[in-house]
Amino acid sequence: FFAVRPGDSICLPQKSLTCHNDFSHNITCIWKGSFDSDQRNNACLIYAERVDRWQKSYKSTHKHSYNASCELQSFDSARPALKKCSLIFNGTFLFFARSEVLMNLSCSSSKQNETLFYKPVCH
C-alpha cells in the first residue's frame, strides 16, 4: 500500500508503444510499427533507464544505474507490424510509486525514433 499525492503520478495514455510491467524488474512492450519498421534489415531497439528525479540523493549513494535494452521482434504472423520485447533490468524490486523510466525506441535503417517517460505504477 502506498499513498500518491495529486500530481505525483499522472498516467498518460500510451500511443504506438504499449508497455506493462511486473513492478519489479521486467517491462514488456508491444509496438505497432510502420511500413518502414517492417523491412527485413531494419532492427528496432528499445533502450530504457530508470530515472529518479524525485530522489536526487539516490544516484549519489548507489554507484550503478538501472538500464536495459531489447530488440523488438514480430510475434504474430497475421499482424507483422506488431513487435514485442521485454526489458529485463538487473536486480529486483527496482520500481517505486514515483519511479519513471526514460525509454528510447529507434530503428536502424529508418528515421523511426520515439522517446517517452514510462511510469511503472501506471501500467
Side-chain angles (χ1 to χ4, degrees):
F1 177 79
F2 57 87
V4 177
R5 294 179 307 201
D8 275 356
S9 186
I10 297 171
C11 296
L12 299 174
Q14 299 178 64
K15 296 184 179 180
S16 64
L17 184 65
T18 304
C19 303
H20 299 280
N21 69 87
D22 63 3
F23 210 67
S24 174
H25 66 282
N26 181 356
I27 300 174
T28 299
C29 298
I30 295 176
W31 181 53
K32 183 178 181 191
S34 63
F35 174 76
D36 290 342
S37 67
D38 283 345
Q39 302 307 311
R40 188 176 199 89
N41 61 345
N42 195 14
C44 296
L45 304 169
I46 299 175
Y47 173 81
E49 182 175 358
R50 190 183 75 183
V51 179
D52 293 317
R53 294 184 288 181
W54 55 273
Q55 193 177 12
K56 292 179 183 175
S57 63
Y58 186 85
K59 282 191 176 183
S60 63
T61 59
H62 292 78
K63 299 296 182 200
H64 57 278
S65 64
Y66 294 104
N67 56 56
S69 62
C70 62
E71 183 175 351
L72 288 152
Q73 303 285 329
S74 294
F75 68 97
D76 184 348
S77 60
R79 297 183 292 173
L82 288 180
K83 299 184 183 298
K84 178 179 180 179
C85 72
S86 291
L87 297 154
I88 310 294
F89 292 77
N90 288 330
T92 55
F93 305 110
L94 304 180
F95 306 132
F96 306 101
R98 293 185 182 175
S99 292
E100 291 184 6
V101 177
L102 175 63
M103 298 177 132
N104 186 308
L105 182 151
S106 61
C107 296
S108 63
S109 64
S110 71
K111 294 182 182 180
Q112 194 78 35
N113 193 346
E114 291 186 37
T115 300
L116 66 110
F117 276 97
Y118 172 80
K119 295 185 178 193
V121 72
C122 294
H123 309 280

